[in-house]
Amino acid sequence: MNGKPVNPSNGAETAGLTGLLRCRDEDTGHLQREQELRGGKYLGLQRFYDREGRLQRERHVNERGNSQGRMAEFWPNGQLRREEFAENGRTRGPVRRLDAQGQLERLAFHADGREQFYVEYNAAGQPTRLMCPAASVLPEDRPLCGFGGAAETALHTASGAKAAQMRYEQGRLLTAMEWDAGGLLAAQMLFENGRRVHRRYSSENGKAVLREERIYEADDRPLAHRGGALAQVRQWGASGQLVEQRSYTAGRETLVERWYLNGALRERTAPAGEGPAARVLRELHGDDGRLARRERLTADRQPTGVQQHFHANGRIALEEGYGEPDARGRTRLQTRKEWDESGRLLADDVLLEDGSRQRKAGLTGS
C-alpha cells in the first residue's frame, strides 16, 4: 500500500491508513485484489482479478461492508459482462447482462426489493422473454409493453423462430399466443367479457388441436395468472371431441359432464337443490348411452338416499339406501335390494348398525 508492504490480516498495520491496498500473486506478480481504505477502514472501491491478472469484478462498499453504487463484472477480454447498482447491499435500478462481444443479453429493473421488469434477447437481438412493469421504469420497456399505446410484441427462440405473440397496453398483457417447436399453436390467453381465458393445444397429425380451456371469473389478476375462481373448464380428445366439461358458481363446482370419444354421454353430475349444502345427483352411462348407475350424494360426495345400478337391458339391478350424514359427515348403508335381468327380486335386506343384515323371508339371494 502506497509502495510499502502491508499485512491486511493485521489490523495494527492498516490502522489509520488511507489509500489503495493492492495484493499480488507471489509467483507471477499478477494483481489479484485492490481494496480502498479510508482511515483504516475498508470503504470505497474493491476490485478482484483472475489468475492472469485480468479484472473480473468491481464494486464499492459502505461503512457496513455492503455494496453501494455501481457493481460490475467483466469478460476475460475486458468487455463488460454485468452491471447493476446497489443501495446498502440491495439491488436497485437497471441491471444489464452482456455477452463477450458487448451484445445485450438481459435487461432488468429492480425496485422495492423485487424485479419489476426484464427482457432477454437472443444473439440476433430479438426478445425471447419479457415481463412488463405496471408503470414504465426504463426507456426500453415503452415500445415492448405498450406505454406509448397498444403494442404487438413478438418473442423468439434462441435460433430466431417465432415462439409467442403478445399484446400489451400500459404494461398490461391483453392477449398472448405461443407456438411449439414445429410452429403449431400451443397455447392462447385472452380476455373475453372481462374474464381470463386460457387455452392449451396439442399437435395431432400436423395440426393444432384444442385440448383444454379454462375460464376464470372476472377479477383483477393479470392475464397470465393461473389462480382465481374458475367459471368453466372444458377438455377435448385428440380427435377434437369434447370429453369433459365442468362448471362452477362462486368457486364451487356445480356441474360435471363427461363423454366417450364416440360422443355418447359418460357422466353427468349436478346439484339436486340450491345452496352449498345441496345434494348432488350423479348419473353414469355406458358407451352405448344407456344409464348404468344413478347416485345421490351429499355436498361432500358421501352417498345418501337411494343409489341405483341398472342391467344392460335398462332394468334395475341394485338399489341401496343410505341414511343422513352423522356428526362427522359420514353416511351408513341401511337397505339393499337386488334384481335379476328379468326384474325378479333376489334380495331385500336391512343392514344393521353392527354390519349384519336382516333378510326378508322367502328370499335367498345370490
Side-chain angles (χ1 to χ4, degrees), residues 130-132 144-147 149-153 166-175:
L130 174 66
M131 182 180 77
C132 288
L144 296 172
C145 300
F147 288 111
E152 297 285 345
T153 299
M166 329 290 278
R167 182 177 176 82
Y168 285 93
E169 186 170 17
Q170 297 300 313
R172 183 171 181 258
L173 182 62
L174 301 180
T175 63

Side-chain angles (χ1 to χ4, degrees), residues 274-295:
E274 299 291 334
R279 297 296 191 258
V280 175
L281 178 64
R282 175 190 289 161
E283 294 182 331
L284 304 173
H285 301 255
D287 59 7
D288 58 358
R290 293 178 182 271
L291 181 63
R293 195 159 82 233
R294 180 181 289 126
E295 301 173 344

Side-chain angles (χ1 to χ4, degrees), residues 20-37:
L20 195 62
L21 177 70
R22 291 183 172 90
C23 299
R24 297 182 181 274
D25 186 276
E26 287 186 330
D27 297 326
T28 65
H30 291 320
L31 194 60
Q32 298 295 286
R33 178 164 61 105
E34 291 180 303
Q35 198 157 5
E36 188 176 357
L37 277 83

